[in-house]
Amino acid sequence: MSGSSHAAAYLETGALPELPDRHFIAGEWTTPAAGGRMETFDAGFGRAFHSVAAGTAEDVDRAVMAAHAAQNGWGRTKASARGAALMRAATLLREEAARFAFVEALDSGKPLQEAEGDVAGAARAFEYYAGAADKIEGETFPIGDDYLGYSRPEPVGVTAHIIPWNYPLSTAARGLAPALAAGCTVVAKPAETTPLTMLMLADLLTRAGLPAGVVNVVTGTGPEAGAPLVGHPKVRHVTFTGSVPTGQGVMQAAARNVASVVLELGGKSPLIVLTDADLDAAADGVVGAIYENAGQICSAGSRLIVERPVHDALLERVLARVHALKMGHGLRRSTLGPLNSAPHRAGVAQRVDEAIARGLPPLTGGSATVDPETGEGWFFEATIFDDVPADDPLVTDEIFGPVLAVQIADGADDAAALANGTDYALVAGIYTADFGLAHRLARDIDAGQVFINEYFAGGIEVPFGGNRQSGFGREKGLAAVQNYLRIKSVAAKIG
Ligand code: NAD
């Protein structure tokens, strides 16, 4: 069945393919020790459609011990064999892409075509790191003819992966694939509201040839399942993607075991449009940057910084595109889907209401709403606030919804200063025809990744991560493999 046929069957009759509902531990579907269950929701209709295991510390311990037991075997598996298994996973994911995309769109609420892109990206991640597995090399050290000095890059051991709900499969793939390529085992904890594709991925990886225990998944809440995982003494590294406060707690928990962490946290990323930019391309970029996945993207371009002379012309183009967005259930291939949960939508609405109460009227949007076709779901209008002061919370605080704050700049230096004006530093976009200026701004803006003339340009090959409150460490690219390695140096007297 194609993704569209799954979607049509579900929308017409509620029919669902077989969905996982237990933990995946030591290669088997495993019932939660305490028997707890939690519901997962279809945000487009605003109703529960399935339930999964609500894990506890006991389940986490079983999963970590399964990973620990599998670590030596997987870590010592020939690198090319690890790569071959990851390549089979990429192939299987492409073969099963329709089912994965359907479930991802249903569980997260995102439009089906975006979920299809996520699945294709996840397959690329496994393919990319499959190729990297047998290119992890050590070095020799020049310590004299009578000595031999060399390094052995070794897997760090059991790794924990805490996944957010906005890009469940993509985030899982970009963390798991390099960890597995490096020879690490994995215990993953998906977000409460989007557990399904992580479970499906663990099953797929096992079918691709990963031995039992190499990849384990425990579903459940952050406090009940996430906290015991990141604080487990056998976990040697934590890759965390989520909010700043949770990330701070994760870092403290890992510190108790002196485990390493990569923190991929929030953002308030600027998209700069200078006077000489191609305004149609820039307007396309602005709308994609803030309304894709209904703005629930860590690297969303949630601040538009536009040079004053082109402000009106750009905003006219942006508004025309915003009014053409098609709000609706993600499975109907809308271009503006629902927010992921009712509490999250309430949080977005609260921030917008507070801005209005501060005397900032939205240029467009500003309200929670429903799917115009069904009258249901957790939707929020595409919203723009114009000419927002640099110290307003609309500029400084992450909202994680379809809400754009426009800032007006007087010249490129002012644009750079505004861009650097928040505590976040994840990504930045620059639209200009001036090649030299673009690269000077790329130098001067504090961000982990800079996009020039195409927001979200790049792929798995390009390292990604933040500075300051956006976190530290890099995922994607060959840089990510280093997160999962520790160097052992060997020095021997041979003469
Ligand atoms: P969140 O921090 O609430 O939750 C993220 C994950 O952490 C979930 O799986 C949750 O169950 C788990 N968790 C919660 N408490 C925990 C604890 N005490 N110990 C261990 N795990 C715990 O974030 P969210 O609302 O799911 O995601 C949105 C946030 O994530 C936004 O701030 C967004 O910017 C950020 N994000 C960042 C990136 C990036 O790559 N930088 C990508 C996606 C999302």
Side-chain angles (χ1 to χ4, degrees):
M1 234 192 214
S2 72
S4 294
S5 347
H6 278 301
Y10 170 78
L11 289 170
E12 279 163 31
T13 65
L16 288 167
E18 198 179 326
L19 296 172
D21 61 1
R22 283 168 288 168
H23 303 310
F24 191 84
I25 299 175
E28 290 179 358
W29 298 113
T30 306
T31 304
R37 312 282 310 159
M38 53 198 277
E39 288 181 312
T40 187
F41 297 86
D42 170 347
F45 283 127
R47 66 180 184 218
F49 71 92
H50 187 60
S51 72
V52 295
T56 56
E58 205 176 331
D59 303 317
V60 168
D61 187 58
R62 284 174 74 183
V64 174
M65 295 319 289
H68 182 63
Q71 179 56 53
N72 255 349
W74 181 245
R76 292 184 178 191
T77 296
K78 199 171 172 187
S80 58
R82 291 201 301 263
L86 296 182
M87 195 61 91
R88 282 194 295 277
T91 304
L92 279 176
L93 201 42
R94 289 193 175 110
E95 285 170 11
E96 300 175 24
R99 188 170 59 97
F100 271 83
F102 165 74
V103 175
E104 189 79 330
L106 179 59
D107 214 13
S108 68
K110 68 175 61 190
L112 184 56
Q113 69 279 9
E114 292 185 21
E116 287 166 349
D118 293 355
V119 177
R124 256 302 285 153
F126 282 103
E127 182 176 73
Y128 177 82
Y129 290 107
D134 60 1
K135 291 155 198 82
I136 297 168
E137 296 174 344
E139 296 173 320
T140 57
F141 307 124
I143 53 176
D145 270 2
D146 290 341
Y147 295 86
L148 173 62
Y150 64 96
S151 65
R152 288 172 47 84
E154 297 177 347
V156 293
V158 178
T159 60
H161 300 252
I162 303 285
I163 315 288
W165 46 259
N166 60 337
Y167 282 85
L169 183 66
S170 318
T171 311
R174 81 180 184 196
L176 264 65
L180 295 167
C184 293
T185 56
V186 164
V187 181
K189 209 294 284 172
E192 288 78 341
T193 57
T194 52
L196 295 176
T197 49
M198 181 71 250
L199 290 165
M200 288 162 59
L201 180 64
D203 173 56
L204 179 144
L205 285 164
T206 304
R207 286 187 279 122
L210 266 65
V214 172
V215 172
N216 309 275
V217 180
V218 174
T219 53
T221 67
E224 293 287 319
L229 174 57
V230 299
H232 197 291
K234 289 275 187 278
V235 168
R236 298 312 311 143
H237 173 87
V238 181
T239 293
F240 172 81
T241 307
S243 63
V244 176
T246 311
Q248 289 165 333
V250 165
M251 194 172 166
Q252 282 170 342
R256 284 197 287 279
N257 299 315
V258 197
S260 54
V261 291
V262 164
L263 297 182
E264 295 284 3
L265 308 179
K268 194 74 192 184
S269 298
L271 188 160
I272 295 175
V273 180
L274 298 180
T275 307
D276 62 358
D278 174 338
L279 293 187
D280 285 309
D284 287 341
V286 169
V287 172
I290 186 62
Y291 299 120
E292 190 176 314
N293 201 18
Q296 302 165 114
I297 310 184
C298 54
S299 50
S302 49
R303 292 189 292 140
L304 165 61
I305 298 175
V306 57
E307 260 197 291
R308 196 176 298 277
V310 289
H311 169 273
D312 293 357
L314 179 65
L315 265 283
E316 190 185 317
R317 287 168 169 79
V318 169
L319 281 170
R321 286 160 174 77
V322 166
H323 294 141
L325 289 172
K326 197 171 128 271
M327 183 181 283
H329 197 293
L331 291 176
R332 289 206 311 273
R333 295 188 183 275
S334 58
T335 46
L336 186 62
L339 299 189
N340 174 258
S341 69
H344 179 55
R345 183 176 69 159
V348 171
Q350 186 184 341
R351 285 170 183 278
V352 168
D353 289 347
E354 286 167 358
I356 295 168
R358 286 194 299 275
L360 292 167
L363 189 62
T364 188
S367 300
T369 185
V370 290
D371 181 344
E373 194 167 319
T374 63
E376 294 181 279
W378 299 319
F379 291 81
F380 199 90
E381 292 171 345
T383 300
I384 299 177
F385 287 92
D386 195 11
D387 198 8
V388 183
D391 59 354
D392 189 87
L394 283 176
V395 162
T396 56
D397 296 359
E398 185 181 51
I399 297 176
F400 219 59
V403 182
L404 177 68
V406 180
Q407 299 176 268
I408 302 176
D410 290 305
D413 288 346
D414 188 33
L418 290 172
N420 288 334
T422 76
D423 291 336
Y424 294 108
L426 189 53
V427 311
I430 300 166
Y431 281 78
T432 176
D434 185 332
F435 180 86
L437 180 57
H439 292 283
R440 286 199 296 282
L441 285 170
R443 177 195 65 197
D444 293 341
I445 292 172
D446 187 10
Q449 192 171 348
V450 177
F451 306 117
I452 297 172
N453 288 333
E454 187 188 302
Y455 205 86
F456 297 134
I460 190 68
E461 304 87 344
V462 184
F464 175 85
N467 303 335
R468 295 188 281 129
Q469 294 292 300
S470 294
F472 59 83
R474 294 294 178 264
E475 295 199 83
K476 300 169 66 177
L478 291 177
V481 179
Q482 299 306 320
N483 298 329
Y484 303 102
L485 294 171
R486 57 187 185 191
I487 300 297
K488 179 183 285 170
S489 302
V490 181
K493 186 159 186 348
I494 57 172

